[in-house]
Amino acid sequence: MSLQPRPWGFLGSFTAMASPCEILMQVSDEYVAKQMLTLAYDEARRIEQKFSRFIQGNAVWHLNHAQGESRLIDLETLHLLQFAEKCYVLSDTAFDISACPLMALWRFEGQHRIPEQAEIDDALSHVGFNRITFTNNTLTMPAGMSVDFGGIAKEYAVDRTAQLLAQRWPHAVLVNFGGDIACPVINKDGWQVGIENPHKLDNAAALLTIRQGALATSGNTRRYIEVAGKRYGHIINPKNGYPVEQAPLSVTVLAPNCVMAGMLATMSMLKGAQAEDFLQQQGVDFKVFRG
């Protein structure tokens, strides 16, 4: 963790969930800023340790290695499952946290091949949120299936962190975990937030002023492969097992909270050529970049 003074207060930074994380705090007391930063770091790490599917022995690991047996879940996991179910239904089954076998096939780091159709068909046989059953304290899914909360956990971590900070310190604060942002307390001056230009990475294509609310971005800007001159982005359609056709390069959505913004951004990517039409129907502010 690091803490640096700024004209408006303090900037805290750390790494969690494979992302650079920042906390912008409009406070004058360095001791308070350190407390705020520590709380944010601890909460981000807690959620990562609990819900990352890459950490052996955690809650998600036990669910994914149950081999058809029921496993106990706590209230927090239940809430994420209920939200995942809502995403699944609202997206017409396109937003599916059980698509892990497909994500394992389509590797976007160091691989430049398209999986064989037989591999995709086999993976598809282990995908389908509707095959998962859960109660208030148990989850059961067929052997060979697995879940990945990666599509919602970071946004959830942003909202949780923002809520905890606002409850303890009624100061203007901006929580930024890898570009997913929440501002729980009104900042009358507004925070200046840059939206990355997918055609020129690490450069802002637009500058937004946010006083309260949240935004999230979904896109294929950094994770994609090119095979025989065709670009394949990392947003996978769980219905056919292939990357979504005609998906935007990136979508940024503004919403009351980060979980909602992230859900709408991802859903719009899954809509492919209809991304803009979908977002207009939702009545939210958004920015879409295409190739």
Side-chain angles (χ1 to χ4, degrees), residues 239-255:
K239 297 180 181 181
N240 63 19
Y242 285 85
V244 176
E245 295 280 349
Q246 300 181 58
L249 288 177
S250 72
V251 176
T252 298
V253 175
L254 280 76

Side-chain angles (χ1 to χ4, degrees), residues 2-168:
S2 71
L3 186 68
Q4 300 174 339
R6 291 290 186 268
W8 38 260
F10 288 90
L11 168 66
S13 59
F14 57 88
T15 300
M17 295 170 285
S19 301
C21 300
E22 294 181 337
I23 310 295
L24 283 65
M25 300 158 281
Q26 203 173 64
V27 298
S28 56
D29 189 325
E30 183 176 358
Y31 177 72
V32 170
K34 286 180 179 178
Q35 287 185 304
M36 295 173 74
L37 177 59
T38 299
L39 183 151
Y41 175 82
D42 289 346
E43 185 64 6
R45 294 290 294 172
R46 181 190 73 80
I47 292 174
E48 178 180 19
Q49 291 297 312
K50 183 175 181 178
F51 290 110
S52 171
R53 70 182 173 98
F54 300 105
I55 296 177
Q56 187 171 352
N58 71 357
V60 174
W61 187 90
H62 284 291
L63 294 179
N64 290 344
H65 290 78
Q67 291 301 306
E69 297 183 4
S70 294
R71 287 288 184 264
L72 292 174
I73 57 173
D74 63 7
L75 188 60
E76 186 174 41
T77 304
L78 172 64
H79 287 162
L80 282 187
L81 285 167
Q82 289 172 332
F83 182 73
E85 183 176 42
K86 185 182 297 184
C87 293
Y88 181 74
V89 172
L90 292 176
S91 68
D92 190 26
T93 74
F95 193 129
D96 192 339
I97 67 167
S98 75
C100 300
L102 293 170
M103 291 185 280
L105 273 185
W106 289 89
R107 306 300 298 174
F108 294 92
E109 294 87 15
Q111 174 180 298
H112 292 276
R113 81 172 186 93
I114 300 173
E116 299 291 336
Q117 187 61 50
E119 296 176 297
I120 292 174
D121 291 341
D122 180 65
L124 285 170
S125 70
H126 299 292
V127 174
F129 189 88
N130 59 311
R131 301 168 65 193
I132 299 172
T133 58
F134 58 91
T135 67
N136 286 347
N137 53 23
T138 64
L139 179 143
T140 309
M141 57 186 170
M145 284 190 66
S146 54
V147 292
D148 180 0
F149 289 100
I152 54 179
K154 183 151 67 75
E155 292 86 349
Y156 169 70
V158 169
D159 284 338
R160 273 279 304 171
T161 301
Q163 290 164 7
L164 290 173
L165 289 170
Q167 287 169 6
R168 286 194 60 182

